[in-house]
Amino acid sequence: MSNLETKADFFKALSHPSRLLILGLCKQKPRHTEEIAEILKLSKATVSHHLSLLATAGLLESERDQYYQNYKLQHELLERKIEEIIFEGVKGFADATDPFRAKVLRDFFKHGRLSQIPAQRKKREIVLEKIVQSFEYDRAYPESEVNQIILEFHDDFATLRRELIGLGWLHRENGMYSRVKV
Amino acid sequence: MSNLETKADFFKALSHPSRLLILGLCKQKPRHTEEIAEILKLSKATVSHHLSLLATAGLLESERDQYYQNYKLQHELLERKIEEIIFEGVKGFADATDPFRAKVLRDFFKHGRLSQIPAQRKKREIVLEKIVQSFEYDRAYPESEVNQIILEFHDDFATLRRELIGLGWLHRENGMYSRVKV
DNA sequence: GATATGATTCGATATTTGTCAAATCGGATT
DNA sequence: AATCCGATTTGACAAATATCGAATCATATC
């Protein structure tokens, strides 16, 4: 449940009356496709489609029993608060409209490039935050690509890369780097 | 958040990436339409549409400030667990596949009509549950219509109607009846 | 291994949803 | 009261989704 698309799809799975009914039925006991189709007066194909969406969202799991595929409610996600899901992994970064932040960015970035690395920790974090935003989540980067991306901002990519790791915004594992959700 | 459609619409409001982003933006601070449109690179019209869905779902509230309409995050619903919302007001009625229940229904219903009113409370509840399912939620019925519906099952509509009220499954107000969610 | 049976996938269609430009609205400013 | 300005609504179109029948699949059963 990391990126926005996945979260939206999770809620999309819950966004149809039939699918909510299906969850209710599977809450009572595991159900198979035809049984649900019968109760809801829908075709098997349609129910199979709904079940697939619910299973992909992690709300149901299925298990075969003889001829039947039984779908069982999964509780983990249902027990979570809506906001936990929506804002999970959303960066706790500063408001983009913070005036101090805006001034620091204006002072240190010239034509998109970092004119110098701020000495003050607070200011350095602001420019580092800006830089880390060039990295996507859910993707691994080789060191060469990390360097290349940072080079777009400043020549001393080694220092900046080390700082990003130090702040925990980039993670290194087996020689590959990935952006961390904070 | 009573009926299925409303619940589905609530989750539908959360089922688009742009709308999740909008919630994130409005979490930081109240935002107005153009501001969001600018950040998300969408037209004002589109953002207005998204905002309308989120507000209808109860996730945002808006307030005018000078020229601007500021949208503010509403926390109540976000703090609730998913299952609370999905299963809120879902009838605690017996599993339709319960064998005892099935037997009672078989014994007392002949060709869709109640052959006699069960004397035992437990059995009576089962047949009354069956009858109340002929009523829709979120609709008011005049007494004449209530009687007519119950008449389809048994001649003694007065007794059955009184029992349904007694169980709290039908509610009477100003001479009109409505089905209660239990 | 042939067959029966429930599940899934495919293909087609109807409905719903997302998007934007243009027109309209409604409160603020002058 | 005339004008300004952001928000909303309207109308049109594109994209995504729901639905079903038919074809295909997977696996129990014989």
Side-chain angles (χ1 to χ4, degrees):
Chain A
M1 193 73 66
S2 38
N3 66 75
L4 269 181
E5 287 290 339
T6 308
K7 293 176 185 179
D9 285 343
F10 171 76
F11 291 113
K12 204 171 295 181
L14 293 169
S15 73
H16 193 285
S18 297
R19 290 198 286 270
L20 295 181
L21 279 171
I22 289 173
L23 290 179
L25 291 171
C26 292
K27 187 189 182 196
Q28 296 177 332
K29 63 167 195 176
R31 308 267 189 174
H32 61 267
T33 313
E34 281 203 316
E35 180 181 7
I36 296 171
E38 172 74 19
I39 296 174
L40 301 187
K41 309 287 182 214
L42 292 172
S43 73
K44 284 191 301 178
T46 300
V47 170
S48 190
H49 165 69
H50 287 317
L51 288 170
S52 156
L53 292 178
L54 289 167
T56 301
L59 294 161
L60 294 179
E61 283 208 354
S62 70
E63 197 178 59
R64 198 180 182 91
D65 174 36
Q66 294 186 326
Y67 284 130
Y68 304 89
Q69 196 75 22
N70 278 318
Y71 284 83
K72 189 171 185 296
L73 193 68
Q74 298 301 110
H75 290 271
E76 297 82 61
L77 287 169
L78 293 174
E79 285 164 8
R80 301 183 53 189
K81 292 183 179 179
I82 309 238
E83 63 185 354
E84 281 175 23
I85 293 181
I86 296 180
F87 300 125
E88 168 181 287
V90 167
K91 61 183 185 315
F93 287 168
D95 178 355
T97 64
D98 174 46
F100 174 69
R101 187 175 174 283
K103 179 172 181 357
V104 171
L105 291 177
R106 236 182 302 116
D107 289 348
F108 285 90
F109 281 97
K110 304 295 178 196
H111 312 298
R113 249 181 97 76
L114 190 57
S115 52
Q116 62 169 172
I117 301 179
Q120 289 179 39
R121 188 191 54 76
K122 233 180 134 172
K123 294 182 180 172
R124 212 162 55 241
E125 276 192 19
I126 290 171
V127 306
L128 286 164
E129 177 199 325
K130 179 74 180 171
I131 292 171
V132 82
Q133 286 172 358
S134 297
F135 292 83
E136 294 170 28
Y137 292 115
D138 303 311
R139 192 189 141 189
Y141 295 83
E143 183 166 297
S144 60
E145 194 177 353
V146 173
N147 294 344
Q148 191 175 13
I149 289 170
I150 299 178
L151 257 177
E152 304 246 319
F153 295 102
H154 194 271
D155 290 341
D156 189 359
F157 57 81
T159 297
L160 293 169
R161 194 189 60 220
R162 201 176 321 117
E163 296 254 7
L164 290 171
I165 304 285
L167 284 165
W169 295 350
L170 279 189
H171 174 69
R172 182 185 162 136
E173 194 169 349
N174 306 328
M176 297 292 280
Y177 294 76
S178 54
R179 182 172 174 190
V180 177
K181 295 178 199 64
V182 287
Chain B
M1 192 75 66
S2 37
N3 65 74
L4 268 182
E5 286 290 339
T6 308
K7 292 176 185 180
D9 285 343
F10 171 76
F11 290 113
K12 205 172 294 181
L14 293 169
S15 74
H16 193 283
S18 297
R19 289 197 286 271
L20 295 181
L21 279 171
I22 289 173
L23 290 179
L25 291 171
C26 292
K27 187 189 183 197
Q28 296 178 331
K29 62 168 195 178
R31 309 267 190 174
H32 61 267
T33 314
E34 280 205 316
E35 181 181 5
I36 296 171
E38 172 75 20
I39 296 175
L40 301 187
K41 309 288 182 213
L42 291 172
S43 74
K44 283 190 301 178
T46 300
V47 170
S48 190
H49 165 68
H50 287 316
L51 288 169
S52 157
L53 293 178
L54 288 167
T56 301
L59 294 161
L60 294 178
E61 282 209 353
S62 69
E63 197 178 59
R64 199 182 180 89
D65 175 35
Q66 294 188 326
Y67 284 131
Y68 304 88
Q69 196 74 21
N70 278 318
Y71 284 83
K72 189 170 184 301
L73 192 68
Q74 298 301 108
H75 291 271
E76 297 83 63
L77 287 168
L78 292 175
E79 285 163 9
R80 301 183 54 188
K81 292 183 180 180
I82 310 243
E83 63 185 353
E84 281 175 23
I85 293 182
I86 297 180
F87 300 124
E88 168 181 290
V90 166
K91 60 183 185 317
F93 288 168
D95 179 355
T97 64
D98 174 46
F100 173 71
R101 187 174 174 283
K103 180 173 183 352
V104 172
L105 292 177
R106 235 182 301 116
D107 289 348
F108 287 90
F109 281 97
K110 304 295 177 197
H111 312 296
R113 249 181 98 76
L114 190 56
S115 51
Q116 62 168 243
I117 301 179
Q120 290 180 36
R121 188 191 53 76
K122 233 181 134 171
K123 294 182 181 173
R124 210 162 57 241
E125 276 193 17
I126 289 171
V127 308
L128 286 165
E129 178 200 323
K130 179 74 180 168
I131 292 171
V132 82
Q133 286 172 359
S134 296
F135 292 83
E136 294 169 29
Y137 290 115
D138 303 310
R139 190 188 143 191
Y141 296 83
E143 183 165 297
S144 59
E145 193 177 353
V146 172
N147 294 344
Q148 190 174 13
I149 289 170
I150 298 177
L151 256 177
E152 305 247 320
F153 296 100
H154 194 271
D155 291 342
D156 188 358
F157 57 81
T159 297
L160 291 170
R161 194 189 60 221
R162 202 177 320 116
E163 294 253 9
L164 289 171
I165 303 285
L167 284 165
W169 294 350
L170 279 189
H171 173 69
R172 182 184 162 134
E173 194 170 347
N174 307 325
M176 298 293 281
Y177 294 76
S178 53
R179 181 171 175 192
V180 177
K181 293 177 200 66
V182 288

